[in-house]
Amino acid sequence: MPLGPVAVCETGAVARGDGQLNHDLIPGEKGPQDACGVFGVWAPGEEVAKLTYFGLYALQHRGQESAGIATGDGEKILVYKDMGLVSQVFDETALSSLRGHLAIGHTRYSTTGGSTWENAQPTLGGTQHGTLALAHNGNLVNTGELRTLVDDHFGDNRVTGELARGNTSDTALVTTLLSADPDKTPEQAALELLPKLRGAFSFVFMDEHTLYAARDPWGVRPLALGRLERGWVVASETAALQTIGAAVIREIEPGELIAIDENGLRSHKFAEPQPKGCVFEYVYLARPDAVIRGRVVHEARVEMGRVLAREHAVDADLVIGVPESGVPAAVGYSQESGIPFGQGFVKNAYVGRTFIQPSQTLRQLGIRLKLNPLEHTIRGKRLVVVDDSIVRGNTQRAQIRMLREAGAAEVHVRISSPPVQWPCFYGIDFATRAELVATGLGVEEIRASIGADSLGYISEEGMIGATDQPADQLCSACFTGRYPIDLPEDGRIGKHLLETLPLTVRTGHDRSVDVDGVTVGVGTGGANALQHP
């Protein structure tokens, strides 16, 4: 299959980062992470690469492992991507080399396929008509089926492109399938393929001329459409549209594919909408200034705090929030309870990426790269500490220890989401069930485990009510275990699925066993989460 004209810019001899963030309160202890942020712009006469850069900057919270931009000028597609934050990957020289009238961009947190340069996006595919570049937010649950489709299509002919270069993401499979039929345009191929995909996807993709965007029928991950004076923009969150001065028009509808080119915008409905938006976007993932289905995320979080105060009242002197996502809920708790709100933690405003691993001695000394307690505010006070979620409990345990060492008289923890008991297969990288503290412990046991004087979680009804969305149009599987999109019965699911199955499609030899014939399985991530106790 011929690959269209492509120039891939890399960073030469400069050492790449490893995509690992080491700035947390407890090094290596990460909270729930979203899959990615996507951005696309069609705007002749504008500096589309720079618009995309600033759009990705606004979406940096959705993924910090890698970043990439592809531009098209009507004749070729240029791609520049690398491991690291947006500000680390791109500079003026790189952006000035990315010329054209349309662009897509991506900032990644891995949920299918490991955190490697090969899996960075946008991904590329070649067609008879030219080149295709694609960026994806979300996670597919029928990845095994899609790989079978690739096998069936190519047969004994080894595939080229991203899969041949070692990409092990579900995104690479979609890119390959969109490029597989030389007689179909990307638009025709998408209308045929998209109904076959199961799971969460918000796609932006492009050829040399046209920008496309598509959202899964369940609308799990957000995707919004904006208007520039001389073009159109799509982005994972409305805040990214506003950052570059675009007017917010509407959300891309669940089950909708749009195409934007010199003839304007056209829309196709490839599936009936079955809305199941992710409730965790309101709790934690989205920026506070984002608007999802008409609800400002900040307002939803403040309301969650008010509900928490009604459901779990306590006598205390001060309400503090854990920066950043816990602060709006703490404000709401204070408003409803009448207990004053104050700043109890100082967050390092310049914390970014460090590749320096703390020694065990430094860990034992309590290295605090992210948060530090504000001692003069909390000494002698009975505190209500509001946070968005508890995953493993290690972070809360460290926070409470810090507060007590700083002189807090009492620490009452309030959480603006119910206990997280199930993994997400739709684009959030939670721990496995075995690692989730709420899987095996009740609320009182969790309280004792983290060392709080009391612990209260918001009810599922209270959380959903704060979003102003109908309960039957939200996905809350991570709290309930009720998955709205059926998972594969054969259990072929998980972050490293394509790295643990035979990869003859990609490499021409079986990499599922080592040299001694021992199976090479990767037991991390959500691969076997449902089988854990």
Side-chain angles (χ1 to χ4, degrees):
M1 180 181 65
L3 188 67
V6 181
V8 180
C9 306
E10 300 182 16
T11 55
V14 178
R16 298 191 184 109
D18 60 3
Q20 302 299 312
L21 285 172
N22 297 320
H23 64 248
D24 289 334
L25 178 68
I26 302 175
E29 173 73 8
K30 64 178 178 61
Q33 303 290 330
D34 194 34
C36 308
V38 297
F39 187 90
V41 56
W42 188 93
E46 300 286 355
E47 293 183 282
V48 292
K50 289 189 175 180
L51 288 175
T52 304
Y53 171 85
F54 289 115
L56 293 181
Y57 212 94
L59 297 172
Q60 183 72 86
H61 60 287
R62 299 187 72 88
Q64 298 91 37
E65 292 183 358
S66 63
I69 294 175
T71 58
D73 63 1
E75 296 181 358
K76 62 183 180 300
I77 288 179
L78 298 173
V79 178
Y80 192 108
K81 58 184 179 180
D82 209 339
M83 306 299 291
L85 301 177
V86 175
S87 60
Q88 294 173 312
V89 171
F90 298 101
D91 57 21
E92 285 281 354
T93 302
L95 293 173
S96 64
S97 70
L98 295 169
R99 299 188 182 93
H101 67 278
L102 76 161
I104 65 171
H106 189 266
T107 181
R108 183 173 192 252
Y109 185 87
S110 54
T111 55
T112 293
S115 180
T116 64
W117 186 87
E118 289 77 14
N119 287 341
Q121 297 183 31
T123 55
L124 288 173
T127 73
Q128 294 289 83
H129 303 276
T131 308
L132 184 78
L134 183 143
H136 175 199
N137 173 212
N139 199 57
L140 303 178
V141 298
N142 65 331
T143 302
E145 290 180 13
L146 298 179
R147 216 196 71 171
T148 300
L149 286 177
V150 171
D151 286 340
D152 292 344
H153 179 84
F154 289 95
D156 294 332
N157 298 318
R158 192 176 303 172
V159 297
T160 58
E162 296 279 348
L163 292 174
R165 288 191 286 269
N167 192 313
T168 56
S169 69
D170 51 356
T171 311
L173 291 174
V174 173
T175 308
T176 299
L177 290 168
L178 284 174
S179 310
D181 191 334
D183 297 325
K184 289 187 173 67
T185 66
E187 197 164 342
Q188 294 167 334
L191 289 172
E192 182 177 305
L193 177 64
L194 294 175
K196 300 176 183 177
L197 306 181
R198 291 206 318 275
F201 60 86
S202 287
F203 291 137
V204 292
F205 56 106
M206 59 180 278
D207 58 17
E208 289 83 353
H209 310 275
T210 307
L211 175 68
Y212 303 93
R215 195 174 178 203
D216 66 77
W218 301 272
V220 178
R221 299 284 150 228
L223 190 63
L225 174 68
R227 191 77 164 96
L228 289 169
E229 184 177 348
R230 293 192 288 181
W232 296 88
V233 191
V234 291
S236 291
E237 295 183 22
T238 56
L241 304 178
Q242 295 164 330
T243 294
I244 66 160
V248 178
I249 302 300
R250 64 175 177 87
E251 292 192 7
I252 305 298
E253 293 297 322
E256 181 183 20
L257 167 70
I258 66 167
I260 300 167
D261 59 17
E262 60 187 3
N263 298 314
L265 183 148
R266 53 190 178 274
S267 169
H268 306 278
K269 185 168 80 170
F270 64 85
E272 287 297 324
Q274 307 171 55
K276 291 291 181 182
C278 173
V279 72
F280 215 73
E281 293 279 355
Y282 295 96
V283 173
Y284 171 80
L285 295 176
R287 275 175 48 150
D289 51 348
V291 180
I292 302 176
R293 298 192 70 186
R295 180 61 158 163
V296 178
V297 169
H298 179 268
E299 293 179 355
R301 291 176 184 167
V302 172
E303 180 60 24
M304 288 173 194
R306 295 192 187 104
V307 173
L308 261 176
R310 294 194 292 269
E311 294 183 345
H312 298 285
V314 66
D315 288 330
D317 304 309
L318 189 70
V319 179
I320 65 174
V322 178
E324 298 285 340
S325 54
V327 173
V331 170
Y333 194 103
S334 172
Q335 291 173 349
E336 186 70 20
S337 66
I339 302 170
F341 169 81
Q343 182 179 0
F345 289 108
V346 175
K347 182 177 181 180
N348 183 353
Y350 296 96
V351 71
R353 294 164 56 84
T354 171
F355 299 112
I356 307 302
Q357 291 284 352
S359 67
Q360 184 60 33
T361 301
L362 289 174
R363 288 194 184 98
Q364 291 171 346
L365 289 174
I367 182 170
R368 299 163 183 175
L369 298 182
K370 190 173 184 180
L371 294 177
N372 215 40
L374 197 58
E375 186 172 336
H376 78 278
T377 299
I378 63 181
R379 179 164 294 281
K381 300 286 179 57
R382 298 170 298 169
L383 303 178
V384 177
V385 181
V386 182
D387 206 350
D388 56 82
S389 60
I390 298 179
V391 180
R392 293 176 176 87
N394 296 333
T395 297
Q396 284 75 20
R397 191 176 301 114
Q399 290 168 353
I400 292 168
R401 183 173 64 249
M402 286 165 45
L403 293 170
R404 293 199 190 281
E405 290 173 352
E410 297 175 9
V411 181
H412 302 276
V413 175
R414 297 294 180 264
I415 304 298
S416 60
S417 63
V420 177
Q421 301 185 65
W422 298 88
C424 175
F425 296 103
Y426 308 140
I428 307 175
D429 186 22
F430 279 121
T432 62
R433 286 210 76 203
E435 297 172 293
L436 295 171
V437 67
T439 299
L441 300 178
V443 174
E444 178 58 24
E445 293 170 309
I446 298 171
R447 179 207 64 76
S449 172
I450 64 176
D453 291 287
S454 71
L455 172 63
Y457 289 90
I458 196 173
S459 65
E460 183 186 356
E461 295 76 18
M463 173 189 64
I464 290 175
T467 69
D468 279 354
Q469 307 301 319
D472 63 355
Q473 294 187 15
L474 288 172
C475 173
S476 54
C478 55
F479 307 116
T480 66
R482 297 190 297 269
Y483 293 94
I485 309 170
D486 291 339
L487 304 178
E489 294 181 1
D490 60 8
R492 293 203 301 168
I493 195 169
K495 181 170 181 174
H496 300 282
L497 173 68
L498 296 179
E499 293 160 0
T500 57
L501 293 176
L503 300 180
T504 52
V505 164
R506 175 158 60 86
T507 63
H509 65 279
D510 189 341
R511 287 179 54 190
S512 64
V513 295
D514 66 15
V515 291
D516 296 318
V518 179
T519 300
V520 179
V522 181
T524 59
N528 56 346
L530 293 179
Q531 282 70 51
H532 281 309

